[in-house]
Amino acid sequence: MPPENFTDKPNVEARLLASLNLLDAAEACALLRIETDDPEGAMQAMAREDGVIALVQHGRTMLPLFQFDLTNSRIFDVVRAILKLRSARISNLRLCYWLTRVHVDFGCAPAQRFGHEDAAIVAAFRRYIEPVRHG
């Protein structure tokens, strides 16, 4: 017998992942013009070095499209700056949530302003991660 409060609704992580345009590792390597026999390994290595935001979906490395400068076949510089600032308590999933939700400073999601308002995005992220101090 199922629990009384059982629901078929997807969990928060699944809903967020479904709302993002994601590339698999092979697509990301092709976009970045990286030739490799191991695209998963290449993207995971970039993620470990804080060079790219990587998520795991169904056991596969997936990369949010918003971080790619499609015109110049590269990762936006602001992505690396944000990844260097964030603490370990902020997961890539939580970071994606912050980057893709409307922000009062921009009137849109910060990710929509990549390449245009990078300094303002980094400043907003600094405020977001600042510890709350009372007293």
Side-chain angles (χ1 to χ4, degrees), residues 56-100:
V56 177
Q57 184 180 41
H58 306 297
R60 295 176 53 209
T61 301
M62 303 297 285
L63 299 106
L65 180 62
F66 64 73
Q67 66 189 323
F68 292 90
D69 177 351
L70 301 177
T71 305
N72 298 306
S73 298
R74 65 184 189 90
I75 304 291
F76 284 107
D77 293 334
V78 69
V79 172
R80 184 176 293 265
I82 288 170
L83 288 170
K84 294 246 184 256
L85 283 175
R86 76 166 173 165
S87 68
R89 68 180 176 85
I90 298 177
S91 68
N92 282 347
L93 193 65
R94 184 172 169 190
L95 178 59
C96 286
Y97 181 82
W98 186 83
L99 288 169
T100 59

Side-chain angles (χ1 to χ4, degrees), residues 8 14 17 25 38 48 51 53 56 64 80 82 91 96 100 112 129 131:
D8 285 333
L17 288 173
D38 182 16
R48 280 191 302 274
I53 301 168
V56 177
R80 184 176 293 265
I82 288 170
S91 68
C96 286
T100 59
Q112 291 178 298
I129 62 172

Side-chain angles (χ1 to χ4, degrees), residues 18-41:
S19 73
L20 298 173
N21 289 324
L22 298 172
L23 301 174
D24 66 25
E27 292 169 324
C29 282
L31 193 139
L32 296 172
R33 298 184 181 134
I34 297 172
E35 294 183 25
T36 179
D37 293 332
D38 182 16
E40 289 268 337

